[in-house]
Amino acid sequence: MGSALRVLFVNPGLAMGGAEQSLLLLLQGLQAHGVEATVALFGDGPFRDRLSALAVDTVYVRSSRWLRSASRYRLSGALLRVAALVMAGLPTTVSLAALAHQTRADIIHSNGLKAHLLAGLAGRMIGTPVIWHLRDFPPQGYAGQVLRLAAQYLPALVLANSDAVAATIRPQNSSRPHVRRLHNSVDLHRFQPGLPRGQIRQELGLGENVPLVGYVAHLTPWKGHGLFLTIARAVTDAVPEAHFVIAGGAIYETDGHSGYLETLRQRTIELGLSDRVAFLGARDDIPEILASLDVLVHCPTAPEPFGRVLAEAMAVGCPVVAACCGGISEVVEDGVTGFLIPPGDVTGFVSAVLSFLENPSLRHKFGTSGRHRAEALFGVETHSLSVLEAYQTVMATHRAKA
Ligand code: UDP
Ligand code: GLC
C-alpha cells in the first residue's frame, strides 16, 4: 500500500458496550498496520477516554439529545418516529460528511444502528464508500424495514458479527447488500488461563472452594438477568453453598433502561437470594472475574447477536452454559466448550450448571477446549487482517466504478 489508509469510524455509543469493546480492539489491530483512524463520537464518555489512551483521534459531531437517547426500544414503534429520527439526524449527517471530507477518509466505517443510517447518507453525499459493521439484529417494525432497505443502497459492504445477524439484513432473492460474516476478536493476552482465582472471592469473602456461578452483562432488559435469578434459586436448592455474581452496570442512558437494577434487586429479595447474589456493577476486571467462576451462565431473553462474554470466558478457560439463540452457537461449541440450552428452559440450565459444579474434571476439560477454540477463532490479528482485506476490496470496487 502507498500512503496510509484513512478511515473515519462513526460510533454513537458513549459507554463501553460490547460494540465499543470490539471496535477498540479492532482499532488497536489496525494501528499496528498503519491505518490512520479518526472516530466520530456523539459526546463524551468512557469510550472516548479509552480511545484517548490509545492515542486515537476523536471528534465530536453535533447531535440532538433526542437522537442520542433514541434506542431500539423507541424505534421499534411507529413509522413517524423513524422518520423523525432521520430528520433529527440530518444535521449530524452533514457534519459527518464534512468530517469525512476534512479527514480525507478513504472509507467510513459505522459501528451502531443509528450510525449506519447517518454515515450511510453522509457517504452518499460525498461519494465515499461506507462499511456498516452490523452488530445487532435489525429492530422490529418499520425501523427494521427502513434499515434493510437502506442496507441495499447505502453501504458498499456490511460486516456482520455472526452468520445469524448476516442472515437478517439481506432481503430474500436480493444480491444487495454484500455481506461478510466477521466474528469478533478477544484480547487473548488479557483473557488467558491461569489468572488468579482468588481475587474476586476475597473481595466477596468467599473461600476458594465455594461454588461460584457468574453472569456478565450490562444492565439492559433483554440480557435476561431476571431469568438468571430464577436459575440461581433452583441451583441453590440443590447446592445450598453456591454463590452468584452479576457483573455489569447500568451504562446505557438510552430509552428503556431506567429502573432495571431496582427491579432485579427486588426480585433477588423475593427469591430469598440476597445473601447469595452479589451485584458487582460495571467492572474493568472481567478477566479476573471470569477466572474466579466455576461456570458462566448467559440466558438473554432476545437473540444474542454474538456475545463477547462467551468468547472471553472460553479464552480464560471458564466453561459456559448459554441459551442457544442468535449467534451464540457460532461462539460456543455445544458439549465441548459449554452447554447450549433452549432459551427459557430453566430446568435445562439448572442441570447443566449443576453438572459443572459437581464435576471439576468436566470443568477443566471444557475450559481447556474453550481456550483452544478462542485461540483458533477469535484472535485480534486475524480479525484485523480480515477488516483490512475488506477495505481493500471496497476501495478497489469504488475505484473501478469511478
Ligand atoms: N463488560 C465489562 N464490564 C462489565 C460487564 C461487561 O467490561 O461490568 C464487557 C464484557 O467483558 C464484554 C462486553 O462488556 O466485552 C459486553 O459485550 P457482549 O458482546 O457480551 O454484550 P453487549 O453488551 O455488547 O450486548
Ligand atoms: C452488540 C451485541 C453483542 C456483540 C457486540 C459486539 O453489542 O449485542 O452480541 O457481541 O455487539 O459485536
Side-chain angles (χ1 to χ4, degrees):
M1 203 190 309
S3 62
L5 190 67
R6 288 178 295 269
V7 184
L8 174 65
F9 291 85
V10 184
N11 192 87
L14 311 181
M16 281 304 298
E20 288 72 26
Q21 297 277 5
S22 304
L23 180 54
L24 208 62
L25 275 184
L26 172 61
L27 286 166
Q28 265 172 283
L30 294 177
Q31 253 177 356
H33 288 278
V35 171
E36 288 179 9
T38 303
V39 184
L41 299 169
F42 287 17
D44 227 339
F47 184 44
R48 164 130 202 271
D49 300 339
R50 299 287 295 273
L51 292 168
S52 303
L54 267 187
V56 173
D57 284 341
T58 55
V59 179
Y60 296 138
V61 283
R62 61 179 170 142
S63 58
S64 65
R65 182 138 38 105
W66 197 85
L67 181 67
R68 286 195 299 275
S69 67
S71 73
R72 57 167 52 240
Y73 301 103
R74 186 196 267 179
L75 288 180
S76 56
L79 184 58
L80 211 59
R81 286 205 194 119
V82 181
L85 180 84
V86 174
M87 292 305 286
L90 278 182
T92 310
T93 303
V94 173
S95 302
L96 285 173
L99 183 60
H101 185 69
Q102 187 192 324
T103 56
R104 293 181 292 130
D106 298 301
I107 286 178
I108 305 178
H109 186 143
S110 58
N111 197 52
L113 290 178
K114 284 180 273 188
H116 300 325
L117 292 178
L118 305 174
L121 289 168
R124 279 279 160 202
M125 279 167 72
I126 56 170
T128 302
V130 176
I131 294 181
W132 285 10
H133 209 139
L134 190 65
R135 302 179 176 282
D136 295 291
F137 290 105
Q140 301 289 315
Y142 289 117
Q145 289 176 29
V146 168
L147 193 79
R148 281 190 197 89
L149 188 68
Q152 293 183 58
Y153 300 102
L154 299 183
L157 177 70
V158 177
L159 296 174
N161 59 359
S162 63
D163 285 324
V165 166
T168 60
I169 194 64
R170 187 167 45 213
Q172 268 183 353
N173 306 323
S174 170
S175 61
R176 287 200 53 89
H178 299 302
V179 185
R180 278 194 202 179
R181 188 263 280 139
L182 180 65
H183 287 147
N184 286 308
S185 68
V186 169
D187 184 339
L188 295 168
H189 299 294
R190 237 189 111 220
F191 291 86
Q192 58 167 287
L195 290 170
R197 181 174 156 86
Q199 210 164 299
I200 304 308
R201 289 169 176 265
Q202 266 170 25
E203 185 182 319
L204 298 171
L206 302 175
E208 279 277 319
N209 296 322
V210 171
L212 190 59
V213 182
Y215 207 76
V216 180
H218 296 301
L219 297 180
T220 185
W222 69 270
K223 285 292 185 177
H225 301 77
L227 192 56
F228 175 60
L229 292 175
T230 305
I231 294 164
R233 177 66 259 170
V235 169
T236 311
D237 292 340
V239 182
E241 66 277 24
H243 276 70
F244 306 86
V245 289
I246 296 180
I251 62 166
Y252 298 116
E253 288 169 9
T254 41
D255 301 327
H257 290 100
S258 68
Y260 184 51
L261 176 59
E262 265 327 296
T263 311
L264 292 175
R265 284 197 193 283
Q266 191 53 43
R267 183 83 189 121
T268 309
I269 296 169
E270 284 162 16
L271 290 168
L273 290 172
S274 308
D275 59 344
R276 301 272 136 185
V277 178
F279 286 91
L280 302 179
R283 302 279 298 222
D284 285 330
D285 54 352
I286 299 298
E288 288 74 18
I289 291 174
L290 291 170
S292 73
L293 303 178
D294 293 308
V295 50
L296 178 84
V297 175
H298 197 64
C299 51
T301 55
E304 179 74 65
F306 178 85
R308 294 188 57 79
V309 290
L310 297 164
E312 292 169 350
M314 283 159 43
V316 303
C318 172
V320 302
V321 175
C324 185
C325 61
I328 287 179
S329 60
E330 299 167 46
V331 181
V332 178
E333 194 177 353
D334 189 23
V336 178
T337 73
F339 289 120
L340 296 182
I341 311 295
D345 175 4
V346 173
T347 315
F349 271 96
V350 173
S351 66
V353 169
L354 292 178
S355 68
F356 283 126
L357 293 188
E358 286 158 2
N359 191 341
S361 62
L362 189 73
R363 293 202 294 272
H364 184 257
K365 188 171 147 210
F366 275 57
T368 307
S369 305
R371 174 68 192 184
H372 287 152
R373 185 167 169 85
E375 283 176 2
L377 296 187
F378 307 127
V380 174
E381 178 63 1
T382 316
H383 179 83
S384 308
L385 287 175
S386 302
V387 173
L388 273 178
E389 209 268 311
Y391 289 165
Q392 303 298 354
T393 309
V394 163
M395 284 171 60
T397 314
H398 187 70
R399 275 196 297 265
K401 277 191 193 157

